[in-house]
Structure formats: structure tokens, C-alpha cells
């Protein structure tokens, strides 16, 4: 009488589950607006140093005048001869005022505070603190969720992110900007993942893959596509942050509709509350469940938790134990590096919208549609190609497309080829979306069950910890426009190669202990893919497995 059996009696794909999926969709919209608010508030339009003699000229004329200089956007003119068109740069002087070619009149933080040219680093500094906050928040809210419950943690983390965005709307210097972005970053990914767990537990196992992929595909994509238009509608970055932050108050209605995680309540030995939640689900779904079912359910879990507590006392498996043996150490290091690569690539490719010959707002909105085919690709092909093939191929294709985009920007006139560049940006986003989604499941399956929770969390946190570099990678564009794309393409290709060194997990019994993890995939070649290869076993591999198992029995292995 386990949880899934009782949930089936209460209804595991009824009205309650549809309502949960709707709340999850709402969370996806809030998450997309929150995460990419840092992108939309900091777009930098074309700009040139102000000179009074150029005040009445068109932006096209100003651009032609400044193109003759090495730093056309940051060169201050000493004088300009209108008749000859000759401009003389001022020596030893810096710009204090600029002409801005604003997109539909939109005022970003960079144009309002003049964070361009020599002050462009200020935006990068502030944005990097967002990811430092993400690291602290993932650890803090993760621990808090284990202590006070998933639902309260969802409310607190979502409110914290909204509060950070709201405070950011009032800043006027880089110090307070960095502090407010740190607060905003505390909730990044946390409230999304905690809501994911709630939906996962109450949803039919047969419907999880479809429901948990289709909902983000539709709702997260919708949030991304609408966000730029909200920004252009309100015209200023401060008002846009109000638009992104105020709706988070909706999550305080979640407890009126959703139940606490019954599995969490069971692990905390709060059996009565777990039963109360299941009865609420049954009532919502219009099901009648006998009281005897719940009594057997509680008795089953009392015995199960006693056994699990005993196993936990006798278990020596830790996350650091994954570094003690050669094969598992290799897998762990690769997963850590791959997490950094994919997290950085996902963020930078999604934000690198400027200098492509078209409006960054519209380009961001239109290319967000790639989330739909990206999600459908995972659903359709991951169980055919395999986890390793999907992870490696998506990074390879995404890296090549991103590299080509970088070279096109370097050698082509962006405005004349805006459509081509827009298509390339969209294809690049598609590749990294598939890679990001594939990484989540692949990583979870490789890590042994005994350390899976801690392992996935630590690997995830490292990815966010290194993401504070993203703003500085984007800052490289101030020196040479294609540099961010070329940098990301290189590390994506490295990630694609590293994936080949990992074992395939499709249709295999996943490792439960560290010793299982060391043996996992021992009979595979690096070029093994389920769609066209067969695993070959030989006597040498069998001897290796036998020797490792013997060492494990003799307690000399760890």
C-alpha cells in the first residue's frame, strides 16, 4: 500500500492534477519573467558620444561620422566641420553624454545611468551578483524546504525573487544594483524546481514525462515571448520590473488550492497530515476512498521508514565518496564541468541578442518559440537516441551553429542580413534548450541513488556559481562583437566531447550505491549509442567486475 497505489485510488490524473499543472504553468511564466528581467532591463542600444554640432543630424549620419574611429561609440569629438564632414577626436577626454538610438523609446538601465563605454562593466558587476545569489538561494531554500516543507518554501523563495526585482526598480548606482540583484537571484530556479517536485509527486507516473515537459514548453515559452513586449509597452526598465515582480503575489493563493508534499510529510513522520492531503486530493477528484486504505497506508510507511532509517545509519555513501574511485570520479568531474558549460551556454545564448541587425526585444521574443520544438525534441527522440546521444548531439549542433553565427557577425553587415542572423540565433537557442533539458535527466540517472539528492544539488549549484562569469563574457562584445558567441561555441564543443565519456542510462538499471556507480557502464565503448550499437561484453570486463565486487565485500574498496 505505497504512495502511488493510494494516489491511484484518490485520482492521479484528475481535476486536482489539472489544477496543479495550471499552477505549475503560472510558476513557469513568473520564472521566465523573473530570470530574464536582467536581460530586458540592460539592453544597450547603439550610442555615440554627444557633440552639439551633431544634435540635429540623423542617427545614420552620426554613425557614418563616427565609423572612421577605432572606438566609434566611445570617441569624443573636439570639433566637426559640417561642410567637409571631417571630425577631429579630442585627446585625453572622456564622454559624459551620449546620443542613444533607443528601441521604440525604451529607457534601459544602461541608457538612464550611462553605463556604456568605460562604465559598461558596472552592469556586468551587478548582473554577476545575481548568480552569486542563485548559489546561496539554491542551498538555503533547498535546506529550508527540507525543514519547513515544499509549499512554504515555494512561497518564500518566489516572494524573495519578486522583492529583489521590486527593489531593483529604485536603485541609482552600481552598489545598490548589485545588492538588489543578489536578493533577486536568491530565488532563481528554486521556486520553479520546488513546484516541479510538488507536481511530480501527485501526478500519474505514466503522465509525468508528457505533463512536466509540455507545461514548461508552453507556459515558459509564453512568458519569454510576452516579456519583451511588456517592456516596450511600459517604456522604462523600472516599470518593467514592477510588471515582473508584482504578479508573484499570486503564489500566496497556492495554499488555498495545492497540498503540501505528502512524501515530505511522510519522511517527517507527519502521517496524519499526509493522509489529510490525500483525502483532499480524493475529494477534489470526486473519489470515495475507504478509511481502511489510509490506515494500511500509514502502517506501511511506519515500517518502511524504520527500515530506511536503519539503512541510513549503516550507509557510508557520501557525495565526496564519488571522488574516491577512478571511474565514478571521472563521471562526477565530467558532470560538474558539463553543468558549468550548459548553464553558461544557456544563459549567454539567450541574452546575446544585441548587434544582430534587428531589435533585441523582438529577436528575443521571436526566437523564444524555439522552446516548443526543443521540448518536443526531448519527448520524441530521447528514448530513441539515448541520453548520451541526445546530450552530446545537442551540444555539438548548438556549438557549431553558435560559432557560425559569430563568424557571420564578424564578416557580414548585420543590418543587411538581419533575417539570416535571426534564424541562426533561433537555431542556437534551440540547440542549447535541448542540451539543457537533456542534461537534467541524464545527470540525475548517472548519480547513484544513495547520493542522488546531494549530488544533483551540488552539481547544479556549481553551474550557477560559475554563471557569475556570464556578464563578463557578454562584456567581451565591447571589444570584439563575435567574442561571446565564439567563446560559448568552443566550450559547447568541449562539452559534446565530454558526453561521449559517460555511460548510457537508457533502459538500464540505474546505480543505487557508489559501488554500483563504479561498475555502471563498464562494458560499454565510448561510441556506444542505443539506436545503432550493441553492448559487447568480454571476459576481461567480467573479470574486472568480479574483482571490484570482491574488493567491495572485503571493505577495501572505499
Amino acid at each position: 500500500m505505497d504512495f502511488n497505489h493510494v494516489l491511484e485510488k484518490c485520482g492521479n490524473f484528475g481535476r486536482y492534477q489539472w489544477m496543479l499543472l495550471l499552477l505549475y504553468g503560472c510558476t513557469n511564466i513568473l520564472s521566465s519573467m523573473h530570470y530574464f528581467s536582467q536581460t530586458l532591463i540592460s539592453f544597450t542600444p547603439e550610442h555615440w558620444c554627444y557633440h552639439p554640432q551633431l544634435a540635429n543630424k540623423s542617427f545614420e549620419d552620426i554613425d557614418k561620422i563616427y565609423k572612421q574611429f577605432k572606438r566609434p561609440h566611445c570617441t569624443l569629438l573636439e570639433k566637426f566641420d559640417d561642410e567637409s564632414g571631417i571630425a577631429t577626436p579630442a585627446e585625453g577626454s572622456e564622454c559624459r553624454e551620449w546620443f542613444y538610438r533607443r528601441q521604440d523609446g525604451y529607457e534601459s538601465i544602461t541608457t538612464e545611468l550611462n553605463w556604456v563605454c568605460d562604465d559598461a562593466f558596472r552592469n556586468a558587476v551587478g548582473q554577476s551578483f545575481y548568480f552569486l545569489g542563485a548559489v546561496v538561494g539554491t542551498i538555503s531554500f533547498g535546506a529550508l524546504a527540507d525543514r519547513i516543507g515544499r509549499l512554504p518554501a515555494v512561497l518564500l523563495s518566489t516572494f524573495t525573487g519578486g522583492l529583489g526585482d521590486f527593489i531593483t526598480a529604485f536603485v541609482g548606482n552600481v552598489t545598490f544594483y548589485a545588492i538588489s540583484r543578489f536578493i533577486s537571484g536568491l530565488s532563481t530556479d528554486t521556486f520553479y524546481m520546488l513546484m516541479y517536485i510538488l507536481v511530480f509527486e501527485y501526478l500519474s507516473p505514466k503522465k509525468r514525462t508528457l505533463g512536466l515537459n509540455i507545461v514548461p514548453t508552453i507556459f515558459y515559452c509564453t512568458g519569454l515571448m510576452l516579456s519583451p513586449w511588456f517592456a516596450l509597452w511600459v517604456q522604462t526598465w523600472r516599470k518593467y520590473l514592477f510588471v515582473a515582480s508584482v504578479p508573484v503575489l499570486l503564489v500566496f493563493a497556492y495554499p488555498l488550492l495545492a497540498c503540501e508534499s505528502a512524501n515530505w510529510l511522510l519522511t517527517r513522520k507527519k502521517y496524519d497530515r499526509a493522509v489529510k492531503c490525500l483525502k483532499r486530493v480524493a475529494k477534489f477528484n470526486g473519489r470515495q476512498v475507504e478509511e481502511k486504505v489510509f490506515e494500511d497506508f500509514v502502517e506501511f510507511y511506519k515500517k518502511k521508514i524504520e527500515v530506511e532509517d536503519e539503512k541510513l545509519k549503516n550507509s557510508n555513501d557520501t557525495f565526496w565518496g564519488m571522488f574516491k574511485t577512478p571511474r565514478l570520479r571521472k563521471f562526477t568531474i565530467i558532470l560538474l564541468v558539463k553543468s558549468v558549460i550548459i548553464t553558461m551556454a544557456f544563459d549567454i545564448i539567450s541574452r546575446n541578442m544585441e548587434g544582430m541587425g534587428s531589435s533585441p526585444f523582438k529577436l528575443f521574443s521571436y526566437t523564444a518559440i524555439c522552446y516548443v520544438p526543443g521540448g518536443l525534441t526531448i519527448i520524441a527522440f530521447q528514448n530513441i537516441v539515448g541520453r548520451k546521444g541526445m546530450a552530446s548531439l545537442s551540444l555539438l549542433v548548438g556549438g557549431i551553429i553558435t560559432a557560425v553565427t559569430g563568424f557571420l557577425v564578424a564578416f557580414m553587415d548585420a543590418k543587411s542580413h538581419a533575417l539570416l542572423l535571426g534564424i541562426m540565433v533561433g537555431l542556437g537557442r534551440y540547440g542549447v534548450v535541448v542540451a539543457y533539458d537533456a542534461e537534467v535527466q541524464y545527470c540525475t540517472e548517472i548519480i547513484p541513488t544513495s547520493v542522488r539528492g546531494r549530488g544533483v544539488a551540488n552539481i547544479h549549484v556549481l553551474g550557477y556559481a560559475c554563471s557569475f562569469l556570464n556578464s563578463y563574457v557578454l562584456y567581451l562584445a565591447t571589444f570584439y562583437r563575435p567574442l561571446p558567441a565564439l567563446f560559448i561555441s568552443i566550450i559547447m564543443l568541449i562539452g559534446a566531447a565530454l558526453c561521449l565519456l559517460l555511460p548510457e542510462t537508457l533502459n538500464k538499471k540505474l546505480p543505487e550505491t557508489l559501488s554500483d556507480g563504479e561498475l555502471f557502464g563498464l562494458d560499454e565503448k565510448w561510441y556506444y549509442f542505443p539506436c545503432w550499437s550493441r553492448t559487447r561484453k568480454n571476459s576481461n570486463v567480467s573479470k574486472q567486475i568480479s574483482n571490484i565486487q570482491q574488493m567491495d565485500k572485503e571493505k577495501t574498496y572505499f
Side-chain angles (χ1 to χ4, degrees):
M1 191 61 69
D2 63 4
F3 179 78
N4 285 331
H5 182 74
V6 176
L7 182 62
E8 187 175 358
K9 291 181 177 294
C10 297
N12 57 13
F13 198 63
R15 291 193 296 266
Y16 181 78
Q17 283 71 29
W18 281 104
M19 182 270 298
L20 265 188
L21 288 172
L22 186 61
L23 294 181
Y24 182 48
C26 179
T27 299
N28 271 269
I29 292 176
L30 295 176
S31 177
S32 64
M33 293 180 66
H34 168 71
Y35 184 84
F36 286 105
S37 63
Q38 57 187 341
T39 302
L40 297 175
I41 68 173
S42 59
F43 277 143
T44 304
E46 288 185 281
H47 53 279
W48 306 268
C49 283
Y50 178 81
H51 192 281
Q53 287 182 268
L54 304 179
N56 295 323
K57 292 189 176 295
S58 67
F59 288 121
E60 287 74 15
D61 290 338
I62 294 174
D63 188 43
K64 289 178 182 178
I65 294 168
Y66 277 96
K67 267 188 175 179
Q68 60 184 295
F69 303 114
K70 188 176 180 180
R71 298 182 69 196
H73 300 298
C74 304
T75 299
L76 180 65
L77 297 184
E78 182 176 343
K79 60 180 180 179
F80 172 72
D81 189 330
D82 203 5
E83 292 184 4
S84 63
I86 297 175
T88 306
E91 298 294 337
S93 300
E94 297 180 356
C95 285
R96 297 297 179 188
E97 191 176 356
W98 286 263
F99 295 111
Y100 288 108
R101 191 173 193 168
R102 294 177 174 83
Q103 175 65 40
D104 294 328
Y106 180 77
E107 184 82 81
S108 67
I109 190 171
T110 53
T111 59
E112 181 180 323
L113 302 181
N114 289 324
W115 284 353
V116 293
C117 296
D118 292 337
D119 287 333
F121 75 94
R122 296 179 184 272
N123 184 50
V125 170
Q127 300 286 13
S128 65
F129 272 80
Y130 178 91
F131 290 102
L132 293 178
V135 174
V136 176
T138 300
I139 298 171
S140 303
F141 283 116
L144 192 65
D146 287 338
R147 181 175 293 274
I148 67 173
R150 313 299 192 222
L151 196 54
V154 168
L155 303 184
L156 288 174
S157 61
T158 307
F159 178 73
T160 301
L163 179 64
D165 287 343
F166 189 79
I167 294 173
T168 304
F170 296 95
V171 301
N173 59 62
V174 68
T175 301
F176 288 109
Y177 181 61
I179 294 172
S180 65
R181 296 319 291 160
F182 178 85
I183 296 172
S184 182
L186 290 172
S187 73
T188 296
D189 202 51
T190 308
F191 70 91
Y192 169 84
M193 288 305 300
L194 291 174
M195 195 64 196
Y196 176 96
I197 293 171
L198 278 176
V199 179
F200 181 90
E201 291 182 359
Y202 284 108
L203 198 61
S204 166
K206 294 180 180 179
K207 304 292 184 181
R208 284 172 184 167
T209 300
L210 185 63
L212 294 173
N213 281 280
I214 288 296
V215 169
T217 295
I218 295 173
F219 287 89
Y220 199 86
C221 176
T222 299
L224 289 182
M225 294 188 72
L226 292 179
S227 294
W229 299 103
F230 288 148
L232 292 176
W233 175 49
V234 297
Q235 289 285 289
T236 72
W237 67 278
R238 297 184 189 273
K239 290 181 180 178
Y240 174 73
L241 287 174
F242 294 147
V243 172
S245 60
V246 173
V248 303
L249 297 176
L250 292 172
V251 299
F252 288 103
Y254 283 17
L256 302 176
L257 302 169
C259 298
E260 178 55 88
S261 163
N263 278 323
W264 176 80
L265 291 169
L266 292 169
T267 61
R268 308 298 288 188
K269 300 180 180 179
K270 298 180 180 181
Y271 305 111
D272 291 341
R273 283 189 61 191
V275 168
K276 186 177 179 181
C277 286
L278 287 169
K279 287 182 176 179
R280 184 177 172 184
V281 172
K283 183 178 180 180
F284 207 104
N285 286 333
R287 298 286 189 92
Q288 296 291 330
V289 183
E290 295 178 2
E291 193 65 32
K292 182 70 166 56
V293 172
F294 296 114
E295 292 174 1
D296 293 344
F297 169 72
V298 171
E299 191 63 31
F300 171 82
Y301 270 95
K302 284 182 178 179
K303 293 178 181 179
K304 181 181 178 182
I305 290 175
E306 286 178 6
V307 173
E308 289 179 348
D309 287 345
E310 190 64 30
K311 284 183 179 179
L312 192 60
K313 290 178 183 178
N314 299 326
S315 174
N316 295 318
D317 287 357
T318 65
F319 173 72
W320 297 112
M322 296 175 69
F323 292 92
K324 292 182 179 180
T325 53
R327 296 187 72 254
L328 198 53
R329 177 169 58 244
K330 180 182 74 173
F331 298 159
T332 306
I333 292 173
I334 290 174
L335 289 174
L336 288 167
V337 173
K338 201 155 71 75
S339 175
V340 171
I341 289 173
I342 291 177
T343 306
M344 290 186 69
F346 177 82
D347 183 68
I348 292 174
I349 290 176
S350 298
R351 294 169 57 188
N352 192 27
M353 298 287 149
E354 297 174 56
M356 300 295 175
S358 58
S359 164
F361 294 93
K362 295 175 182 178
L363 184 61
F364 183 91
S365 177
Y366 297 149
T367 57
I369 194 67
C370 70
Y371 279 76
V372 175
L376 295 177
T377 299
I378 291 292
I379 295 171
F381 296 108
Q382 185 156 254
N383 289 339
I384 299 174
V385 178
R387 312 294 191 250
K388 179 167 71 173
M390 183 62 72
S392 181
L393 190 61
S394 58
L395 282 170
L396 176 64
V397 174
I400 292 173
I401 291 172
T402 304
V404 172
T405 305
F407 284 114
L408 290 177
V409 171
F411 299 109
M412 295 172 59
D413 179 60
K415 291 182 179 179
S416 302
H417 300 86
L419 179 59
L420 174 61
L421 291 175
I423 293 172
M424 296 300 293
V425 169
L427 291 174
R429 289 187 79 176
Y430 164 77
V432 79
V433 165
V434 174
Y436 191 90
D437 290 346
E439 159 71 9
V440 174
Q441 186 168 352
Y442 195 23
C443 175
T444 303
E445 292 178 347
I446 290 177
I447 298 175
T449 304
S450 59
V451 293
R452 185 164 293 152
R454 288 163 286 174
V456 171
N458 291 337
I459 289 170
H460 193 62
V461 165
L462 181 65
Y464 271 120
C466 293
S467 291
F468 85 95
L469 295 170
N470 294 354
S471 297
Y472 300 104
V473 174
L474 290 168
Y475 178 64
L476 294 175
T478 60
F479 303 101
Y480 185 53
R481 186 67 195 86
L483 276 181
L486 297 177
F487 173 83
I488 285 301
S489 64
I490 291 171
I491 66 172
M492 288 179 76
L493 295 176
I494 293 172
L498 290 175
C499 287
L500 299 177
L501 302 178
L502 294 173
E504 180 55 64
T505 61
L506 179 64
N507 298 326
K508 292 189 177 183
K509 185 180 184 301
L510 300 181
E512 295 184 0
T513 64
L514 294 185
S515 55
D516 291 339
E518 181 66 17
L519 299 172
F520 189 66
L522 193 60
D523 56 342
E524 284 183 13
K525 299 294 184 181
W526 66 268
Y527 50 79
Y528 168 72
F529 298 99
C531 55
W532 58 273
S533 297
R534 289 186 178 180
T535 305
R536 296 180 179 177
K537 294 186 179 180
N538 55 53
S539 58
N540 290 332
V541 171
S542 299
K543 287 179 181 179
Q544 281 183 278
I545 293 175
S546 178
N547 291 336
I548 291 173
Q549 288 174 335
Q550 182 62 32
M551 285 190 291
D552 189 44
K553 289 179 181 178
E554 294 173 357
K555 305 296 184 183
T556 61
Y557 192 63
F558 293 109

